[in-house]
Short mmCIF file of all heavy atoms in Angstrom, two decimals:
data_model
loop_
_atom_site.label_atom_id
_atom_site.label_comp_id
_atom_site.label_asym_id
_atom_site.label_seq_id
_atom_site.Cartn_x
_atom_site.Cartn_y
_atom_site.Cartn_z
N GLY A 9 -8.49 -24.16 -8.01
CA GLY A 9 -7.64 -23.98 -6.91
C GLY A 9 -8.41 -23.96 -5.62
O GLY A 9 -9.67 -23.85 -5.55
N LYS A 10 -7.66 -23.93 -4.55
CA LYS A 10 -8.31 -23.89 -3.16
C LYS A 10 -8.53 -22.48 -2.75
O LYS A 10 -7.77 -21.56 -3.22
CB LYS A 10 -7.31 -24.62 -2.20
CG LYS A 10 -7.96 -24.91 -0.92
CD LYS A 10 -7.00 -25.82 -0.14
CE LYS A 10 -7.66 -26.11 1.17
NZ LYS A 10 -6.81 -26.94 1.98
N SER A 11 -9.58 -22.20 -1.97
CA SER A 11 -9.96 -20.90 -1.63
C SER A 11 -10.48 -20.86 -0.16
O SER A 11 -10.98 -21.89 0.20
CB SER A 11 -10.99 -20.39 -2.60
OG SER A 11 -11.41 -19.16 -2.24
N THR A 12 -10.40 -19.75 0.39
CA THR A 12 -11.04 -19.53 1.74
C THR A 12 -12.36 -18.82 1.49
O THR A 12 -12.33 -17.77 0.86
CB THR A 12 -10.10 -18.67 2.68
OG1 THR A 12 -8.85 -19.40 2.87
CG2 THR A 12 -10.80 -18.48 3.97
N ALA A 13 -13.46 -19.37 1.94
CA ALA A 13 -14.84 -18.89 1.68
C ALA A 13 -15.60 -18.81 2.89
O ALA A 13 -15.42 -19.43 3.89
CB ALA A 13 -15.43 -19.73 0.62
N TYR A 14 -16.65 -17.89 2.81
CA TYR A 14 -17.69 -17.86 3.87
C TYR A 14 -18.94 -17.27 3.18
O TYR A 14 -18.96 -16.77 2.03
CB TYR A 14 -17.19 -16.86 4.99
CG TYR A 14 -16.92 -15.47 4.57
CD1 TYR A 14 -17.98 -14.52 4.70
CD2 TYR A 14 -15.75 -15.08 3.99
CE1 TYR A 14 -17.79 -13.16 4.32
CE2 TYR A 14 -15.50 -13.79 3.64
CZ TYR A 14 -16.56 -12.78 3.81
OH TYR A 14 -16.35 -11.58 3.45
N ASP A 15 -20.06 -17.49 3.95
CA ASP A 15 -21.37 -16.92 3.54
C ASP A 15 -21.82 -15.97 4.56
O ASP A 15 -21.47 -16.02 5.71
CB ASP A 15 -22.34 -18.09 3.42
CG ASP A 15 -22.21 -18.89 2.16
OD1 ASP A 15 -21.21 -18.67 1.44
OD2 ASP A 15 -22.98 -19.81 1.90
N ILE A 16 -22.64 -14.97 4.13
CA ILE A 16 -23.19 -13.97 5.06
C ILE A 16 -24.80 -14.18 5.04
O ILE A 16 -25.29 -14.83 4.15
CB ILE A 16 -22.87 -12.62 4.65
CG1 ILE A 16 -23.56 -12.19 3.30
CG2 ILE A 16 -21.39 -12.37 4.67
CD1 ILE A 16 -23.60 -10.63 3.03
N VAL A 17 -25.42 -13.52 6.07
CA VAL A 17 -26.88 -13.44 6.07
C VAL A 17 -27.13 -12.03 6.56
O VAL A 17 -26.42 -11.52 7.44
CB VAL A 17 -27.49 -14.50 6.98
CG1 VAL A 17 -27.22 -14.34 8.43
CG2 VAL A 17 -29.03 -14.37 6.78
N ILE A 18 -28.07 -11.38 5.98
CA ILE A 18 -28.49 -10.02 6.45
C ILE A 18 -29.52 -10.18 7.48
O ILE A 18 -30.41 -10.99 7.48
CB ILE A 18 -29.00 -9.21 5.24
CG1 ILE A 18 -27.84 -8.91 4.20
CG2 ILE A 18 -29.73 -7.92 5.67
CD1 ILE A 18 -28.25 -8.22 2.94
N LEU A 19 -29.27 -9.41 8.61
CA LEU A 19 -30.16 -9.39 9.67
C LEU A 19 -31.06 -8.20 9.71
O LEU A 19 -30.59 -7.05 9.50
CB LEU A 19 -29.44 -9.36 11.07
CG LEU A 19 -28.49 -10.58 11.22
CD1 LEU A 19 -27.73 -10.41 12.52
CD2 LEU A 19 -29.32 -11.93 11.30
N LYS A 20 -32.35 -8.37 9.95
CA LYS A 20 -33.33 -7.30 10.13
C LYS A 20 -33.51 -7.06 11.61
O LYS A 20 -33.71 -7.99 12.39
CB LYS A 20 -34.65 -7.61 9.45
CG LYS A 20 -35.68 -6.68 9.57
CD LYS A 20 -36.96 -7.07 8.88
CE LYS A 20 -38.09 -6.11 8.99
NZ LYS A 20 -39.36 -6.63 8.38
N ASN A 21 -33.35 -5.79 12.03
CA ASN A 21 -33.42 -5.46 13.46
C ASN A 21 -32.48 -6.23 14.28
O ASN A 21 -32.77 -6.48 15.45
CB ASN A 21 -34.89 -5.59 13.94
CG ASN A 21 -35.85 -4.80 13.28
OD1 ASN A 21 -35.58 -3.57 12.86
ND2 ASN A 21 -37.04 -5.31 13.02
N GLY A 22 -31.32 -6.62 13.68
CA GLY A 22 -30.33 -7.32 14.43
C GLY A 22 -30.53 -8.77 14.75
O GLY A 22 -29.76 -9.31 15.48
N ARG A 23 -31.71 -9.24 14.46
CA ARG A 23 -32.11 -10.63 14.87
C ARG A 23 -32.69 -11.51 13.74
O ARG A 23 -32.22 -12.66 13.58
CB ARG A 23 -33.12 -10.52 15.93
CG ARG A 23 -32.60 -10.00 17.33
CD ARG A 23 -33.64 -10.12 18.38
NE ARG A 23 -34.94 -9.35 18.08
CZ ARG A 23 -35.02 -8.12 18.35
NH1 ARG A 23 -34.13 -7.42 18.94
NH2 ARG A 23 -36.21 -7.53 18.11
N GLU A 24 -33.65 -10.97 12.98
CA GLU A 24 -34.31 -11.68 11.94
C GLU A 24 -33.39 -11.95 10.73
O GLU A 24 -33.00 -11.02 10.08
CB GLU A 24 -35.55 -11.03 11.58
CG GLU A 24 -36.44 -11.82 10.51
CD GLU A 24 -37.67 -10.94 10.07
OE1 GLU A 24 -37.94 -9.92 10.64
OE2 GLU A 24 -38.23 -11.47 9.05
N ARG A 25 -33.19 -13.18 10.39
CA ARG A 25 -32.36 -13.57 9.21
C ARG A 25 -33.19 -13.34 7.98
O ARG A 25 -34.33 -13.79 7.74
CB ARG A 25 -31.91 -14.96 9.29
CG ARG A 25 -30.87 -15.24 10.41
CD ARG A 25 -30.48 -16.66 10.45
NE ARG A 25 -29.74 -17.01 11.64
CZ ARG A 25 -30.33 -17.45 12.69
NH1 ARG A 25 -31.54 -17.81 12.85
NH2 ARG A 25 -29.49 -17.74 13.71
N ILE A 26 -32.61 -12.59 6.97
CA ILE A 26 -33.24 -12.32 5.75
C ILE A 26 -32.48 -13.13 4.60
O ILE A 26 -31.31 -12.73 4.38
CB ILE A 26 -33.24 -10.74 5.32
CG1 ILE A 26 -33.90 -9.97 6.55
CG2 ILE A 26 -33.85 -10.54 4.07
CD1 ILE A 26 -35.39 -10.31 6.69
N TRP A 27 -33.13 -14.12 4.08
CA TRP A 27 -32.43 -14.90 2.96
C TRP A 27 -32.89 -14.44 1.63
O TRP A 27 -32.28 -14.90 0.64
CB TRP A 27 -32.69 -16.41 3.22
CG TRP A 27 -32.02 -16.95 4.38
CD1 TRP A 27 -32.57 -17.23 5.63
CD2 TRP A 27 -30.61 -17.16 4.60
NE1 TRP A 27 -31.63 -17.61 6.53
CE2 TRP A 27 -30.45 -17.59 5.90
CE3 TRP A 27 -29.53 -16.99 3.79
CZ2 TRP A 27 -29.18 -17.99 6.43
CZ3 TRP A 27 -28.26 -17.35 4.31
CH2 TRP A 27 -28.08 -17.73 5.65
N ASP A 28 -33.96 -13.59 1.55
CA ASP A 28 -34.43 -13.15 0.26
C ASP A 28 -33.40 -12.16 -0.44
O ASP A 28 -33.22 -11.12 0.13
CB ASP A 28 -35.64 -12.39 0.41
CG ASP A 28 -36.31 -11.84 -0.87
OD1 ASP A 28 -35.74 -11.98 -1.95
OD2 ASP A 28 -37.33 -11.16 -0.77
N THR A 29 -32.76 -12.72 -1.42
CA THR A 29 -31.66 -11.91 -2.04
C THR A 29 -32.14 -10.53 -2.73
O THR A 29 -31.35 -9.74 -3.07
CB THR A 29 -30.79 -12.63 -3.01
OG1 THR A 29 -31.63 -13.09 -4.07
CG2 THR A 29 -30.11 -13.82 -2.23
N LYS A 30 -33.40 -10.48 -2.90
CA LYS A 30 -33.98 -9.22 -3.56
C LYS A 30 -34.41 -8.22 -2.41
O LYS A 30 -34.85 -7.09 -2.76
CB LYS A 30 -35.21 -9.62 -4.42
CG LYS A 30 -34.79 -10.42 -5.62
CD LYS A 30 -35.90 -10.69 -6.55
CE LYS A 30 -35.73 -11.52 -7.72
NZ LYS A 30 -34.47 -11.94 -8.14
N TRP A 31 -34.33 -8.50 -1.18
CA TRP A 31 -34.80 -7.71 -0.08
C TRP A 31 -34.06 -6.38 -0.12
O TRP A 31 -32.86 -6.28 -0.24
CB TRP A 31 -34.61 -8.39 1.29
CG TRP A 31 -35.38 -7.71 2.41
CD1 TRP A 31 -36.62 -7.54 2.70
CD2 TRP A 31 -34.67 -7.15 3.55
NE1 TRP A 31 -36.87 -6.92 3.75
CE2 TRP A 31 -35.66 -6.60 4.33
CE3 TRP A 31 -33.31 -6.90 3.93
CZ2 TRP A 31 -35.35 -5.99 5.57
CZ3 TRP A 31 -33.07 -6.29 5.06
CH2 TRP A 31 -34.06 -5.77 5.91
N ASP A 32 -34.81 -5.30 0.05
CA ASP A 32 -34.26 -3.98 0.02
C ASP A 32 -34.67 -3.22 1.30
O ASP A 32 -35.59 -2.36 1.36
CB ASP A 32 -34.77 -3.13 -1.18
CG ASP A 32 -34.18 -1.74 -1.35
OD1 ASP A 32 -33.19 -1.51 -0.62
OD2 ASP A 32 -34.78 -1.01 -2.12
N GLY A 33 -34.12 -3.56 2.43
CA GLY A 33 -34.50 -3.04 3.75
C GLY A 33 -34.38 -1.51 3.89
O GLY A 33 -35.14 -0.93 4.59
N ASN A 34 -33.41 -0.92 3.18
CA ASN A 34 -33.21 0.52 3.30
C ASN A 34 -33.91 1.25 2.19
O ASN A 34 -33.85 2.55 2.11
CB ASN A 34 -31.79 0.94 3.36
CG ASN A 34 -30.92 0.46 2.11
OD1 ASN A 34 -31.51 -0.13 1.25
ND2 ASN A 34 -29.65 0.82 2.12
N LYS A 35 -34.64 0.50 1.35
CA LYS A 35 -35.56 1.05 0.34
C LYS A 35 -34.83 2.04 -0.55
O LYS A 35 -35.41 3.13 -0.90
CB LYS A 35 -36.78 1.63 0.95
CG LYS A 35 -37.52 0.59 1.83
CD LYS A 35 -38.97 0.85 2.05
CE LYS A 35 -39.65 -0.08 2.86
NZ LYS A 35 -39.29 -1.36 2.97
N ASP A 36 -33.66 1.80 -1.07
CA ASP A 36 -32.89 2.65 -2.01
C ASP A 36 -32.87 2.16 -3.35
O ASP A 36 -32.26 2.74 -4.25
CB ASP A 36 -31.47 2.88 -1.50
CG ASP A 36 -30.62 1.59 -1.56
OD1 ASP A 36 -31.12 0.50 -1.82
OD2 ASP A 36 -29.43 1.68 -1.34
N GLY A 37 -33.70 1.09 -3.60
CA GLY A 37 -33.80 0.61 -5.01
C GLY A 37 -32.79 -0.47 -5.42
O GLY A 37 -32.85 -0.92 -6.51
N ILE A 38 -31.89 -0.79 -4.46
CA ILE A 38 -30.84 -1.80 -4.57
C ILE A 38 -31.00 -2.91 -3.66
O ILE A 38 -30.98 -2.47 -2.49
CB ILE A 38 -29.51 -1.19 -4.75
CG1 ILE A 38 -29.34 -0.07 -5.69
CG2 ILE A 38 -28.39 -2.26 -4.98
CD1 ILE A 38 -28.12 0.77 -5.63
N SER A 39 -30.99 -4.15 -3.96
CA SER A 39 -31.04 -5.24 -2.93
C SER A 39 -29.95 -5.05 -1.95
O SER A 39 -28.81 -4.76 -2.42
CB SER A 39 -31.17 -6.54 -3.60
OG SER A 39 -29.89 -7.08 -3.89
N ASP A 40 -30.18 -5.33 -0.70
CA ASP A 40 -29.14 -5.22 0.26
C ASP A 40 -27.98 -6.29 0.00
O ASP A 40 -26.85 -5.91 0.34
CB ASP A 40 -29.69 -5.37 1.70
CG ASP A 40 -30.60 -4.17 1.95
OD1 ASP A 40 -30.61 -3.18 1.18
OD2 ASP A 40 -31.26 -4.24 2.99
N TYR A 41 -28.34 -7.42 -0.52
CA TYR A 41 -27.33 -8.43 -0.86
C TYR A 41 -26.39 -7.95 -1.93
O TYR A 41 -25.20 -8.11 -1.92
CB TYR A 41 -27.93 -9.73 -1.19
CG TYR A 41 -28.18 -10.63 0.00
CD1 TYR A 41 -29.43 -10.66 0.60
CD2 TYR A 41 -27.16 -11.38 0.63
CE1 TYR A 41 -29.71 -11.43 1.71
CE2 TYR A 41 -27.39 -12.12 1.78
CZ TYR A 41 -28.70 -12.14 2.32
OH TYR A 41 -28.98 -12.94 3.40
N LEU A 42 -26.92 -7.14 -2.90
CA LEU A 42 -26.11 -6.60 -4.00
C LEU A 42 -25.29 -5.53 -3.45
O LEU A 42 -24.07 -5.37 -3.87
CB LEU A 42 -27.00 -6.15 -5.16
CG LEU A 42 -26.30 -5.69 -6.39
CD1 LEU A 42 -25.29 -6.82 -6.91
CD2 LEU A 42 -27.19 -5.31 -7.53
N GLU A 43 -25.84 -4.79 -2.58
CA GLU A 43 -25.01 -3.60 -1.98
C GLU A 43 -23.84 -4.29 -1.24
O GLU A 43 -22.67 -3.73 -1.27
CB GLU A 43 -25.82 -2.82 -1.02
CG GLU A 43 -26.82 -1.93 -1.78
CD GLU A 43 -27.66 -1.04 -0.79
OE1 GLU A 43 -28.57 -1.63 -0.21
OE2 GLU A 43 -27.29 0.13 -0.68
N ALA A 44 -24.07 -5.31 -0.43
CA ALA A 44 -22.95 -5.99 0.30
C ALA A 44 -21.97 -6.58 -0.58
O ALA A 44 -20.76 -6.47 -0.45
CB ALA A 44 -23.64 -7.05 1.18
N ALA A 45 -22.45 -7.05 -1.78
CA ALA A 45 -21.45 -7.69 -2.81
C ALA A 45 -20.56 -6.61 -3.35
O ALA A 45 -19.42 -6.85 -3.55
CB ALA A 45 -22.33 -8.32 -3.89
N HIS A 46 -21.04 -5.47 -3.61
CA HIS A 46 -20.24 -4.35 -4.08
C HIS A 46 -19.21 -3.97 -3.06
O HIS A 46 -18.01 -3.73 -3.36
CB HIS A 46 -21.09 -3.12 -4.50
CG HIS A 46 -21.70 -3.35 -5.80
ND1 HIS A 46 -21.04 -3.30 -7.04
CD2 HIS A 46 -23.01 -3.52 -6.20
CE1 HIS A 46 -21.86 -3.62 -8.02
NE2 HIS A 46 -23.04 -3.67 -7.50
N ILE A 47 -19.59 -4.01 -1.73
CA ILE A 47 -18.61 -3.66 -0.71
C ILE A 47 -17.52 -4.66 -0.68
O ILE A 47 -16.33 -4.42 -0.66
CB ILE A 47 -19.32 -3.52 0.67
CG1 ILE A 47 -20.23 -2.30 0.69
CG2 ILE A 47 -18.32 -3.46 1.82
CD1 ILE A 47 -21.19 -2.22 1.82
N GLY A 48 -17.93 -5.98 -0.74
CA GLY A 48 -16.95 -7.05 -0.73
C GLY A 48 -16.03 -7.01 -1.92
O GLY A 48 -14.77 -7.16 -1.73
N LYS A 49 -16.54 -6.65 -3.07
CA LYS A 49 -15.64 -6.63 -4.35
C LYS A 49 -14.69 -5.39 -4.16
O LYS A 49 -13.61 -5.50 -4.49
CB LYS A 49 -16.61 -6.35 -5.52
CG LYS A 49 -15.85 -6.25 -6.79
CD LYS A 49 -16.77 -6.18 -7.96
CE LYS A 49 -16.05 -6.09 -9.28
NZ LYS A 49 -16.96 -5.91 -10.42
N SER A 50 -15.14 -4.35 -3.42
CA SER A 50 -14.32 -3.13 -3.24
C SER A 50 -13.13 -3.39 -2.39
O SER A 50 -12.08 -2.65 -2.46
CB SER A 50 -15.10 -1.94 -2.73
OG SER A 50 -15.32 -2.05 -1.37
N VAL A 51 -13.19 -4.51 -1.58
CA VAL A 51 -12.09 -4.81 -0.65
C VAL A 51 -11.34 -6.03 -1.19
O VAL A 51 -10.53 -6.63 -0.45
CB VAL A 51 -12.42 -4.95 0.76
CG1 VAL A 51 -13.04 -3.61 1.30
CG2 VAL A 51 -13.41 -6.00 0.97
N GLY A 52 -11.58 -6.45 -2.43
CA GLY A 52 -10.84 -7.48 -3.11
C GLY A 52 -11.34 -8.88 -2.91
O GLY A 52 -10.62 -9.83 -3.32
N LEU A 53 -12.56 -9.00 -2.47
CA LEU A 53 -13.17 -10.33 -2.32
C LEU A 53 -13.89 -10.76 -3.66
O LEU A 53 -14.37 -9.79 -4.36
CB LEU A 53 -14.15 -10.39 -1.23
CG LEU A 53 -13.60 -10.17 0.22
CD1 LEU A 53 -14.76 -10.04 1.25
CD2 LEU A 53 -12.64 -11.30 0.53
N GLU A 54 -13.98 -12.04 -3.89
CA GLU A 54 -14.85 -12.58 -4.98
C GLU A 54 -16.23 -12.80 -4.30
O GLU A 54 -16.20 -13.37 -3.21
CB GLU A 54 -14.29 -13.80 -5.54
CG GLU A 54 -13.02 -13.63 -6.38
CD GLU A 54 -12.51 -14.89 -6.92
OE1 GLU A 54 -13.20 -15.92 -6.92
OE2 GLU A 54 -11.30 -14.90 -7.29
N CYS A 55 -17.26 -12.44 -4.98
CA CYS A 55 -18.60 -12.60 -4.53
C CYS A 55 -19.46 -13.39 -5.50
O CYS A 55 -19.44 -13.06 -6.77
CB CYS A 55 -19.26 -11.28 -4.14
SG CYS A 55 -20.99 -11.53 -3.54
N GLY A 56 -20.14 -14.40 -5.02
CA GLY A 56 -20.97 -15.24 -5.89
C GLY A 56 -22.05 -14.44 -6.57
O GLY A 56 -22.65 -14.89 -7.49
N ALA A 57 -22.40 -13.23 -6.15
CA ALA A 57 -23.39 -12.38 -6.71
C ALA A 57 -23.02 -12.02 -8.20
O ALA A 57 -23.94 -11.77 -9.03
CB ALA A 57 -23.56 -11.07 -5.93
N PHE A 58 -21.71 -12.11 -8.47
CA PHE A 58 -21.19 -11.63 -9.81
C PHE A 58 -20.83 -12.83 -10.67
O PHE A 58 -20.29 -12.65 -11.71
CB PHE A 58 -20.03 -10.68 -9.63
CG PHE A 58 -20.33 -9.46 -8.84
CD1 PHE A 58 -19.66 -9.24 -7.66
CD2 PHE A 58 -21.30 -8.55 -9.31
CE1 PHE A 58 -20.03 -8.09 -6.90
CE2 PHE A 58 -21.68 -7.52 -8.50
CZ PHE A 58 -20.97 -7.19 -7.34
N TRP A 59 -21.14 -14.05 -10.19
CA TRP A 59 -20.78 -15.20 -11.04
C TRP A 59 -21.76 -15.26 -12.29
O TRP A 59 -22.97 -14.81 -12.15
CB TRP A 59 -20.96 -16.50 -10.29
CG TRP A 59 -20.00 -16.63 -9.16
CD1 TRP A 59 -18.78 -16.00 -9.13
CD2 TRP A 59 -19.93 -17.65 -8.18
NE1 TRP A 59 -18.07 -16.44 -8.05
CE2 TRP A 59 -18.79 -17.44 -7.39
CE3 TRP A 59 -20.87 -18.61 -7.78
CZ2 TRP A 59 -18.50 -18.22 -6.26
CZ3 TRP A 59 -20.68 -19.39 -6.64
CH2 TRP A 59 -19.45 -19.14 -5.91
N LYS A 60 -21.30 -15.85 -13.31
CA LYS A 60 -22.23 -16.00 -14.48
C LYS A 60 -23.07 -17.32 -14.30
O LYS A 60 -22.60 -18.21 -13.68
CB LYS A 60 -21.29 -16.19 -15.78
CG LYS A 60 -20.58 -14.95 -16.17
CD LYS A 60 -19.75 -15.21 -17.42
CE LYS A 60 -19.24 -13.91 -18.04
NZ LYS A 60 -18.26 -13.26 -17.30
N GLY A 61 -24.34 -17.12 -14.74
CA GLY A 61 -25.15 -18.34 -14.54
C GLY A 61 -25.82 -18.29 -13.17
O GLY A 61 -26.73 -17.46 -12.86
N PHE A 62 -25.31 -19.12 -12.23
CA PHE A 62 -25.84 -19.19 -10.81
C PHE A 62 -25.33 -18.06 -10.03
O PHE A 62 -24.04 -17.89 -9.95
CB PHE A 62 -25.44 -20.58 -10.25
CG PHE A 62 -25.71 -20.73 -8.83
CD1 PHE A 62 -27.11 -20.83 -8.42
CD2 PHE A 62 -24.84 -20.72 -7.87
CE1 PHE A 62 -27.41 -20.97 -7.10
CE2 PHE A 62 -25.08 -20.89 -6.53
CZ PHE A 62 -26.38 -20.95 -6.10
N HIS A 63 -26.11 -17.30 -9.42
CA HIS A 63 -25.65 -16.22 -8.56
C HIS A 63 -25.89 -16.67 -7.07
O HIS A 63 -27.01 -16.92 -6.62
CB HIS A 63 -26.47 -14.93 -8.78
CG HIS A 63 -26.40 -14.44 -10.18
ND1 HIS A 63 -25.29 -13.91 -10.66
CD2 HIS A 63 -27.31 -14.58 -11.20
CE1 HIS A 63 -25.50 -13.61 -11.97
NE2 HIS A 63 -26.63 -14.03 -12.30
N ASP A 64 -24.78 -16.70 -6.38
CA ASP A 64 -24.71 -17.04 -4.88
C ASP A 64 -24.50 -15.91 -4.10
O ASP A 64 -23.44 -15.54 -3.72
CB ASP A 64 -23.69 -18.21 -4.71
CG ASP A 64 -23.68 -18.80 -3.28
OD1 ASP A 64 -24.55 -18.35 -2.47
OD2 ASP A 64 -23.03 -19.78 -3.08
N TYR A 65 -25.53 -15.09 -3.89
CA TYR A 65 -25.42 -13.74 -3.23
C TYR A 65 -24.74 -13.76 -1.91
O TYR A 65 -23.90 -12.92 -1.55
CB TYR A 65 -26.66 -12.98 -3.17
CG TYR A 65 -27.12 -12.38 -4.54
CD1 TYR A 65 -27.79 -13.20 -5.45
CD2 TYR A 65 -26.83 -11.11 -4.85
CE1 TYR A 65 -28.18 -12.65 -6.62
CE2 TYR A 65 -27.19 -10.54 -5.98
CZ TYR A 65 -27.87 -11.37 -6.98
OH TYR A 65 -28.15 -10.87 -8.21
N PRO A 66 -25.02 -14.75 -1.01
CA PRO A 66 -24.37 -14.83 0.30
C PRO A 66 -22.87 -15.19 0.32
O PRO A 66 -22.27 -15.11 1.33
CB PRO A 66 -25.26 -15.77 1.10
CG PRO A 66 -26.49 -15.92 0.29
CD PRO A 66 -26.14 -15.72 -1.06
N HIS A 67 -22.38 -15.71 -0.78
CA HIS A 67 -21.09 -16.35 -0.82
C HIS A 67 -19.95 -15.27 -1.14
O HIS A 67 -20.03 -14.60 -2.07
CB HIS A 67 -21.01 -17.41 -1.88
CG HIS A 67 -19.69 -18.13 -1.91
ND1 HIS A 67 -19.41 -19.17 -1.14
CD2 HIS A 67 -18.64 -17.92 -2.66
CE1 HIS A 67 -18.27 -19.66 -1.46
NE2 HIS A 67 -17.74 -18.85 -2.26
N TYR A 68 -18.85 -15.40 -0.32
CA TYR A 68 -17.61 -14.57 -0.53
C TYR A 68 -16.52 -15.45 -0.40
O TYR A 68 -16.45 -16.44 0.40
CB TYR A 68 -17.59 -13.44 0.56
CG TYR A 68 -18.66 -12.39 0.42
CD1 TYR A 68 -19.90 -12.69 0.93
CD2 TYR A 68 -18.45 -11.21 -0.24
CE1 TYR A 68 -20.98 -11.73 0.78
CE2 TYR A 68 -19.52 -10.33 -0.47
CZ TYR A 68 -20.73 -10.55 0.08
OH TYR A 68 -21.65 -9.66 -0.09
N GLN A 69 -15.38 -15.16 -1.13
CA GLN A 69 -14.18 -15.82 -1.03
C GLN A 69 -12.98 -14.96 -1.32
O GLN A 69 -13.09 -14.01 -1.92
CB GLN A 69 -14.25 -17.10 -1.80
CG GLN A 69 -14.25 -16.85 -3.38
CD GLN A 69 -14.48 -18.13 -4.15
OE1 GLN A 69 -15.20 -19.02 -3.78
NE2 GLN A 69 -13.78 -18.18 -5.36
N LEU A 70 -11.86 -15.39 -0.74
CA LEU A 70 -10.59 -14.75 -1.17
C LEU A 70 -10.36 -15.14 -2.54
O LEU A 70 -10.72 -16.31 -3.04
CB LEU A 70 -9.44 -15.24 -0.24
CG LEU A 70 -9.58 -14.86 1.17
CD1 LEU A 70 -8.43 -15.49 2.00
CD2 LEU A 70 -9.54 -13.34 1.37
N PRO A 71 -9.68 -14.29 -3.38
CA PRO A 71 -9.44 -14.65 -4.81
C PRO A 71 -8.67 -15.92 -4.86
O PRO A 71 -7.74 -16.21 -4.07
CB PRO A 71 -8.66 -13.48 -5.34
CG PRO A 71 -8.95 -12.32 -4.40
CD PRO A 71 -9.29 -12.90 -3.01
N THR A 72 -9.01 -16.83 -5.80
CA THR A 72 -8.26 -18.03 -6.01
C THR A 72 -6.95 -17.75 -6.68
O THR A 72 -6.87 -16.91 -7.45
CB THR A 72 -9.03 -19.09 -6.80
OG1 THR A 72 -9.49 -18.42 -8.04
CG2 THR A 72 -10.35 -19.48 -6.06
N LYS A 73 -5.95 -18.56 -6.34
CA LYS A 73 -4.63 -18.46 -6.82
C LYS A 73 -4.37 -19.72 -7.65
O LYS A 73 -4.50 -20.83 -7.17
CB LYS A 73 -3.58 -18.27 -5.78
CG LYS A 73 -3.73 -16.99 -5.01
CD LYS A 73 -2.69 -16.79 -3.96
CE LYS A 73 -2.97 -15.50 -3.21
NZ LYS A 73 -2.19 -15.34 -1.97
N GLU A 74 -4.01 -19.47 -8.86
CA GLU A 74 -3.78 -20.63 -9.78
C GLU A 74 -2.32 -21.19 -9.57
O GLU A 74 -1.42 -20.46 -9.29
CB GLU A 74 -3.87 -20.24 -11.19
CG GLU A 74 -5.31 -19.80 -11.60
CD GLU A 74 -6.39 -20.85 -11.36
OE1 GLU A 74 -6.06 -22.08 -11.72
OE2 GLU A 74 -7.37 -20.52 -10.93
#
């Protein structure tokens, strides 16, 4: 089905783009991309971080409708 999607990038100090999906800028033991994925999921978005096989951490989309 068709979906509305977007990608995010985490910014360090509001400027530097961080593409390393394992980066833990707040040093809490959880990658910041995974933390963002849980927030997205909590508001009803599908996140590529939770796909089986290939994990696309920056990718978010509205749930697909069949």
